[in-house]
């Protein structure tokens, strides 16, 4: 039976302390709601933080890895999907998520949110900065939601999943 | 914590009754051993049978889907990884599996076993026919194992995982 | 001997008349400079216009196609690279281009420019709108160039290729 | 206008002297017929040899590269398509070829011929060994042709293109 998958995108090396804190809290809350957490799965930044949050709350963690062998994986990833596609795997992150969250913003993340609005996924921006909000809202006003914190993000996910 | 993933490859529409029976039994046994079952995830042939076997035994089922929306997925798939890559996703099936099983043989399956021996994964052939056995054994004698039935396949998996 | 490849990204169905006019002129000028034109290759919008421009000026035209059979290709494409990857092929467009141009903006294009700044390609924005300029300049100030017209775009390409 | 593309697949490091000689001669003959040569594009074995043959005969050479930057490319490649997909790019080699030739056999090549028969491309085996011939002929008798030398391969290509 298909499980609901929530994708948390966001910067790796460029993540801020707030992004990592948000990502950990998102991972926790996603797991507590019984959803699967999906991320880029690497052992760095928001990917690692979201995976650890979900893992610590007893959730199931899927990582879509860019490497050819999983050597880049967060230790908190349960299901390593190995793509050997580098950043080309970003589109798989989006396609496989029922709701997409951008937890912070960076170059790779911008490609993911671009794919998300192209594919037509509901997409929540959390702490991505004003310019990202304005740009993606202009591109796809019907798909982009802006959340002011983790609580509001979780409320939006619930609303989007039940609609 | 990374879970062990066993990949069951095999024909879709071209699967024989024996292939489907084997795939179902493999799915069951994989789940009973606490491993994750991974397959191409489609709602047909050995993919569907292996997923149903693992599901019915209470296991976790991952499907790496060729479609852009999961509309082709077996109902027994828990984690739908959507690739929109068609047969290009075959290499991800192999990369993500700790041990690869070829349950029967077909054109798409042959590309998967080709990727498997190229990448260097231990690969078990079950009911693939004499010509496939001879061809892939010649290509990669150190990677190819031939099993005569599901029981022997399971013994080989255990041996390979512990080595 | 490796040929220089200039990639023209931009909207398909959502292209404005100005975008298509710019894309045609870019294709022409790229061909006149002896460079290969690369685009997403589809028979619509800026992809088709850029391909036609390059073709009409006697240039070589490469299309990286999302379909599985090239049935979506612009008639002006000489070299059809068939990926069957849908929008997943966007990253190949970027990886294969020595300089990337965004001729207009849209959802799919935003994923391409996101990949471009992640990979580190010099990227020229032409008529992408203020919000795209501000967003991508903030993400990667050292990679993003804004051109006011086709002439300035061509001057920037020459400067970037000689640096 | 779409150009005819002939794909020459075959081993890299594992190529025999005969494979490389055949690949060079195939590249030459393909160029002399006005067709584009496509290969995996790497600077080794049959890929390099086929590219050099086509280049030396004045033909156009396309390489679909596994690397993220083209650093692995044969110097004879004109059009570097960079995929960063590793062996995942093998399916693109096949999808983009009007006729596929297997010049020798190896693990990676076997995945390509597997994709080829799955996709339904006419596929010519040259010096691939008895076991490969028997295996792929059994899989797809209507798609597999066996050639005894380069001359016969070229005759088969002409016949296949005109049918």
């Amino acid at each position: 039976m298909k499980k609901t998958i929530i994708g948390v995108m966001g910067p790796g090396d460029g993540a801020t302390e707030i992004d990592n804190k948000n990502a950990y809290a998102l991972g926790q809350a996603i797991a507590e709601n019984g959803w699967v957490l999906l991320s880029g799965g690497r052992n760095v930044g928001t990917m690692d933080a979201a995976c650890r949050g979900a893992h610590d709350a007893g959730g199931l963690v899927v990582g879509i890895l860019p490497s050819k062998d999983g050597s880049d994986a967060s230790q908190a990833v349960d299901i390593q999907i190995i793509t050997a596609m580098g950043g080309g795997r970003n589109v798989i992150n989006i396609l496989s998520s029922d709701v997409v969250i951008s937890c912070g913003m960076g170059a790779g993340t911008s490609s993911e949110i671009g794919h998300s609005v192209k594919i037509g996924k509901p997409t929540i921006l959390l702490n991505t900065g004003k310019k990202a909000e304005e740009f993606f809202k202009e591109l796809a006003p019907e798909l982009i939601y802006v959340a002011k914190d983790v609580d509001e993000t979780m409320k939006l996910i619930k609303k989007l999943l039940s609609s």
Side-chain angles (χ1 to χ4, degrees), chain A:
Chain A
M1 214 63 51
K2 182 191 180 311
K3 292 181 192 288
T4 297
I5 297 180
I6 308 299
V8 175
M9 311 297 131
D13 293 309
T16 66
E17 217 171 304
I18 292 172
D19 290 336
N20 287 336
K21 210 177 136 186
N22 283 341
Y24 185 90
L26 283 169
Q28 268 190 315
I30 287 165
E32 282 162 9
N33 277 278
W35 303 321
V36 174
L37 174 80
L38 180 148
S39 80
R42 288 173 55 221
N43 192 24
V44 62
T46 59
M47 288 174 271
D48 185 49
C51 291
R52 286 187 294 102
H55 175 79
D56 291 352
L60 187 65
V61 180
V62 175
I64 311 289
L65 292 156
S67 70
K68 63 180 183 180
D69 57 8
S71 57
D72 53 346
S74 165
Q75 296 234 340
V77 170
D78 298 306
I79 308 287
Q80 292 188 1
I81 304 298
I82 314 280
T83 68
M85 287 171 72
R89 68 75 157 90
N90 291 4
V91 70
I92 300 177
N93 299 355
I94 300 303
L95 285 160
S96 305
S97 298
D98 294 298
V99 176
V100 170
I101 304 167
S102 184
C103 178
M105 183 50 65
T109 311
S110 76
S111 76
E112 286 164 326
I113 306 310
H115 282 300
S116 195
V117 297
K118 175 66 176 176
I119 290 161
K121 295 275 176 179
T123 304
I124 303 170
L125 307 184
L126 173 61
N127 194 38
T128 61
K130 208 73 195 154
K131 291 188 168 70
E133 291 174 14
E134 288 178 356
F135 173 58
F136 286 113
K137 265 180 155 171
E138 188 180 60
L139 270 185
E142 74 291 2
L143 292 169
I144 293 290
Y145 300 81
V146 176
K148 67 173 191 298
D149 56 23
V150 170
D151 272 0
E152 203 187 344
T153 305
M154 296 308 298
K155 276 178 198 147
L156 279 164
I157 298 175
K158 280 172 205 167
K159 198 176 139 193
L160 288 163
L161 289 177
S162 66
S163 70

